[in-house]
């Protein structure tokens, strides 16, 4: 009987030990699955962030490229406007120079005509004065002759 009790006790201990080992194995397996799941989720999050970062870099590169293109276009437009302005100024200066030359020519012509008119007026006055003087001299001479007779 004692041997049977001892055998039962050993069998019960063996059963408990096996049960405990199986429970521990189950817990270890659950913990391993949980760790694997957690690592998988971390990897997925890492990949998601890497993808977002790559997309952000692409967007930033595109924005930088667009800003460079805009700056280049603005510089080209400014250079074109400056060139057009320079041509306009040169044309305006040329037109002003031509207008000034024409005005100066008209003024010179007007001065010449005025001087000619003045000269003729003086000559006419001189001629009339000379004529009147001659007529007076003639009348005076005639009066003297008449007085002498």
């Amino acid at each position: 009987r004692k041997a049977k009790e001892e055998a039962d006790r050993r069998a019960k201990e063996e059963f408990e030990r096996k049960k405990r080992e199986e429970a521990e194995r189950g817990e270890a397996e659950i913990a391993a699955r949980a760790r694997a799941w957690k690592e998988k989720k971390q990897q997925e999050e890492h990949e998601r962030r890497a993808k977002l970062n790559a997309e952000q870099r692409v967007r930033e590169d595109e924005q930088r490229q667009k800003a460079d293109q805009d700056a280049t276009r603005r510089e080209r437009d400014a250079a074109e406007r400056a060139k057009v302005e320079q041509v306009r100024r040169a044309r305006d200066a040329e037109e002003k120079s031509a207008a000034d030359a024409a005005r100066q020519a008209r003024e010179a012509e007007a001065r010449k005509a005025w001087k000619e008119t003045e000269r003729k007026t003086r000559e006419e006055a001189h001629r009339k004065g000379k004529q009147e003087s001659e007529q007076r001299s003639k009348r005076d001479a005639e009066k003297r002759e008449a007085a002498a007779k």
Side-chain angles (χ1 to χ4, degrees):
R1 204 181 86 160
K2 255 189 175 185
K4 187 177 182 311
E5 282 177 3
E6 185 62 27
D8 283 347
R9 186 183 60 74
R10 278 196 193 123
K12 187 177 178 185
E13 281 177 3
E14 184 65 23
F15 175 76
E16 290 292 328
R17 185 182 59 77
K18 283 185 178 177
K19 198 167 126 181
R20 196 171 50 251
E21 284 175 0
E22 200 166 303
E24 286 173 358
R25 260 196 316 276
E27 287 173 6
E29 197 175 296
I30 290 171
R33 275 197 301 243
R35 270 194 311 277
W37 180 84
K38 186 176 180 185
E39 287 172 3
K40 181 182 171 199
K41 287 297 176 188
Q42 286 175 339
Q43 183 63 29
E44 287 173 356
E45 178 63 15
H46 176 74
E47 289 171 2
R48 186 184 72 79
R49 286 189 179 167
K51 182 180 174 187
L52 287 175
N53 288 342
E55 289 171 354
Q56 180 65 28
R57 279 194 302 276
V58 166
R59 277 194 303 275
E60 288 171 354
D61 287 347
E62 288 171 350
Q63 287 174 344
R64 235 187 328 276
Q65 220 173 16
K66 185 178 182 313
D68 289 348
Q69 288 172 347
D70 289 348
T72 302
R73 182 180 43 76
R74 279 193 302 275
E75 289 170 4
R76 195 174 48 244
D77 290 350
E80 183 64 26
R81 280 193 304 275
K83 185 177 171 186
V84 166
E85 180 64 17
Q86 184 180 12
V87 167
R88 186 190 63 75
R89 282 190 184 143
R91 189 181 62 240
D92 288 352
E94 200 174 291
E95 288 173 359
K96 184 179 185 303
S97 176
D100 286 349
R103 179 184 50 76
Q104 288 173 355
R106 283 192 310 273
E107 289 173 355
E109 191 61 36
R111 275 194 304 278
K112 188 175 169 186
W114 180 79
K115 283 181 180 177
E116 184 63 23
T117 304
E118 283 290 304
R119 184 185 63 76
K120 285 182 181 176
T121 304
R122 277 195 313 275
E123 284 177 359
E124 181 67 24
H126 180 69
R127 190 183 55 73
K128 281 185 180 176
K130 194 173 176 184
Q131 204 174 32
E132 288 174 2
S133 175
E134 285 173 1
Q135 287 176 353
R136 256 194 319 274
S137 294
K138 208 176 194 184
R139 276 195 311 269
D140 288 348
E142 287 173 359
K143 282 183 185 175
R144 276 194 308 270
E145 256 181 51
K149 287 182 182 177

